[in-house]
Amino acid sequence: KFKCVELAEIKRTTNNSFIEVLQDIRIGRVSEYVLDALEFFSNRYLELIEDPQRYYEFEGEAIILFATKSEVKSQNEKMLRRLGKQETLNNEISISYKLDITEREVAQFVHEQTFEEFLSIKKNSKVIFIASESTEKVKENKEPHYYNGMTGTVKEFGIDVLTSEKYILVETQEGLIKVKQFGFQLISYKKNNRGRLRMVKRLEVQQFPIVPSYALTIHKSQGMSINDNLLIDASRIFLPQQFYVAISRCGTPSNLYIKGLIPSKHISVYYSVKKFYKNLLVEKWVKY
């Protein structure tokens, strides 16, 4: 009883020229139009680094996407050191619920998630949210709420006097948000007595839904919409479609910078992807 739904409206960006570039990169088509656009974003980066002071300030405000964890760790540690002896919060994950799951599965879940296993952030550090508040909570609470990809600045650490829970006060464009730990869940599906699927929560891990936003891996940026200054460091990209994932996070192309891109090397797709899009052009879609 599954139905095929085609998502036809692009929400992340409204820039039609940029959308055309993304469409071509998605299917591995490196047209002159794409090359011109990518050269523009690359030249913007080259102009930026000509002025060391300007780049220094840029690093403090921008988000840099890297291909590897080691690059991300190095950049975030560098930027946190700039803040000096600011108050620091260290928070390790805790497991609040576990059902019929092996330690190996727990380790794999933790490894694959966007949260930090051991989060370390300072006051005045830039952060990005890696989860969204539940729809029910947003409807009930008229105060500012967070969503995946929103950025902000840490203003204060504290403990709720009523619940004794730790919280982080983050200043965002929406306003000040009191952020408590979030339950990241591993869900599976099982049949009930009527043969219908029901959700089963197998694991819940508690951690703050934020990470330092100075740098992220391309992998962990998936699902985000980034409107801040965004630098894509393509130097160490190692998988087909990795560059597409990175550039498609951008919601505002006027804020996009690209470093180390070699189009012939970094823009490619698997044969199965090309075949899929080719079939889309010839199939007659049934509208449900």
Side-chain angles (χ1 to χ4, degrees):
K1 296 182 180 179
F2 285 108
K3 292 183 178 181
C4 181
V5 178
E6 183 181 1
L7 303 179
E9 186 179 352
I10 294 173
K11 295 287 189 179
R12 184 165 284 121
T13 181
T14 57
N15 186 304
N16 290 328
S17 297
F18 188 58
I19 287 171
E20 286 184 41
V21 172
L22 294 180
Q23 304 280 36
D24 280 354
I25 293 173
R26 180 189 291 116
I27 61 175
R29 183 190 296 132
V30 187
S31 63
E32 288 297 321
Y33 186 72
V34 169
L35 289 173
D36 288 344
L38 296 178
E39 184 179 11
F40 176 80
F41 298 131
S42 298
N43 287 338
R44 181 186 280 165
Y45 168 75
L46 295 176
E47 291 172 8
L48 176 67
I49 60 174
E50 285 179 358
D51 184 342
Q53 181 59 35
R54 185 181 166 211
Y55 184 70
Y56 180 90
E57 294 170 358
F58 174 85
E59 276 189 306
E61 299 296 330
I63 297 172
I64 305 178
L65 297 185
F66 291 103
T68 64
K69 288 183 179 179
S70 60
E71 293 171 296
V72 168
K73 182 180 179 183
S74 175
Q75 181 68 16
N76 279 330
E77 287 178 349
K78 168 187 168 183
M79 299 307 297
L80 290 174
R81 282 196 299 272
R82 278 194 196 176
L83 296 173
K85 296 182 179 180
Q86 295 277 7
E87 184 181 351
T88 303
L89 178 140
N90 297 308
N91 194 71
E92 192 171 4
I93 61 169
S94 62
I95 296 175
S96 59
Y97 183 89
K98 189 160 49 170
L99 173 68
D100 185 29
I101 189 169
T102 66
E103 290 304 315
R104 183 177 179 179
E105 287 176 297
V106 172
Q108 183 178 352
F109 176 77
V110 170
H111 174 73
E112 291 176 349
Q113 291 302 302
T114 52
F115 59 74
E116 296 283 351
E117 192 169 352
F118 187 84
L119 178 66
S120 181
I121 54 172
K122 292 182 178 182
K123 251 188 189 180
N124 295 318
S125 61
K126 301 292 182 182
V127 294
I128 189 166
F129 286 89
I130 54 171
S132 302
E133 288 187 282
S134 67
T135 305
E136 293 76 13
K137 188 174 180 180
V138 170
K139 287 180 179 178
E140 292 173 7
N141 189 355
K142 294 183 179 179
E143 295 178 1
H145 60 276
Y146 60 82
Y147 55 83
N148 188 22
M150 175 190 276
T151 55
T153 304
V154 173
K155 305 306 290 184
E156 183 183 311
F157 304 123
I159 298 178
D160 193 297
V161 292
L162 296 177
T163 63
S164 297
E165 292 180 286
K166 290 188 286 187
Y167 69 82
I168 302 172
L169 199 62
V170 179
E171 185 175 50
T172 72
Q173 288 184 335
E174 301 287 326
L176 282 173
I177 299 179
K178 191 176 185 179
V179 184
K180 295 185 179 180
Q181 294 195 72
F182 184 90
F184 294 88
Q185 298 180 351
L186 174 62
I187 302 293
S188 64
Y189 297 86
K190 292 186 178 180
K191 283 184 180 180
N192 61 17
N193 295 333
R194 297 181 177 180
R196 299 195 175 197
L197 292 177
R198 64 183 179 91
M199 290 196 304
V200 178
K201 182 172 74 173
R202 300 183 64 206
L203 178 69
E204 181 166 300
V205 176
Q206 295 287 326
Q207 181 56 289
F208 287 103
I210 57 174
V211 294
S213 67
Y214 304 104
L216 298 167
T217 60
I218 293 171
H219 172 70
K220 288 199 172 184
S221 72
Q222 291 185 84
M224 292 182 177
S225 297
I226 300 173
N227 291 301
D228 300 58
N229 281 330
L230 175 65
L231 169 58
I232 299 171
D233 189 331
S235 308
R236 297 178 67 182
I237 281 178
F238 55 89
L239 288 173
Q241 292 289 69
Q242 210 168 11
F243 177 69
Y244 170 73
V245 171
I247 193 172
S248 61
R249 299 309 92 209
C250 177
T252 310
S254 59
N255 293 338
L256 179 62
Y257 302 74
I258 298 177
K259 173 187 176 183
L261 179 69
I262 304 173
S264 60
K265 178 182 178 182
H266 295 140
I267 301 178
S268 61
V269 296
Y270 292 110
Y271 170 75
S272 57
V273 175
K274 289 185 176 181
K275 184 178 179 182
F276 173 82
Y277 281 107
K278 185 178 179 181
N279 289 340
L280 279 185
L281 298 176
V282 297
E283 285 183 7
K284 183 177 180 180
W285 284 86
V286 178
K287 302 297 182 182
Y288 289 94

